[in-house]
Amino acid sequence: MTPADLRALLRDSLLLWETEAATTIDGTGVAIRTADGTYHAAPAPPDLRPARWFLQTPERAAAGRPPRAILSVVALLSALRNALGATRGARLRVGAG
């Protein structure tokens, strides 16, 4: 996934979660700026597998803690949504009617 692809995915997710934020590509990943601070999502280097992503939150940064290692893009989105305190989008339900 390129930084531009990650930024597009995060922007769409923020819209779905109804969260006001600005996203920018910063070379190593994507910065997500909110009223509460700046979050940062970046891909993990190949030698750190199985970790695929890193997520830094304002709270972790203020405490001097490293970014959280995350195993999948789905887990990255879930962790970011939870860190932002964002609402979930509408769930799609498929079934016989």
Side-chain angles (χ1 to χ4, degrees):
M1 178 177 287
T2 67
D5 292 336
L6 178 59
R7 180 177 182 230
L9 175 63
L10 292 174
R11 283 188 344 184
D12 290 346
S13 297
L14 292 164
L15 286 172
L16 178 68
W17 302 333
E18 299 176 346
T19 301
E20 298 263 342
T23 59
T24 55
I25 297 172
D26 66 2
T28 61
V30 177
I32 304 108
R33 289 179 181 76
T34 70
D36 297 329
T38 300
Y39 299 77
H40 188 263
D47 61 326
L48 293 181
R49 306 292 172 160
R52 303 276 183 196
W53 301 96
F54 286 113
L55 177 64
Q56 183 63 288
T57 63
E59 293 81 15
R60 291 181 76 86
R65 296 175 64 196
R68 177 180 166 192
I70 299 177
L71 299 178
S72 72
V73 72
V74 173
L76 173 67
L77 292 174
S78 179
L80 179 60
R81 186 189 72 230
N82 289 335
L84 291 168
T87 60
R88 294 177 181 233
R91 291 185 177 178
L92 175 64
R93 298 185 189 250
V94 179

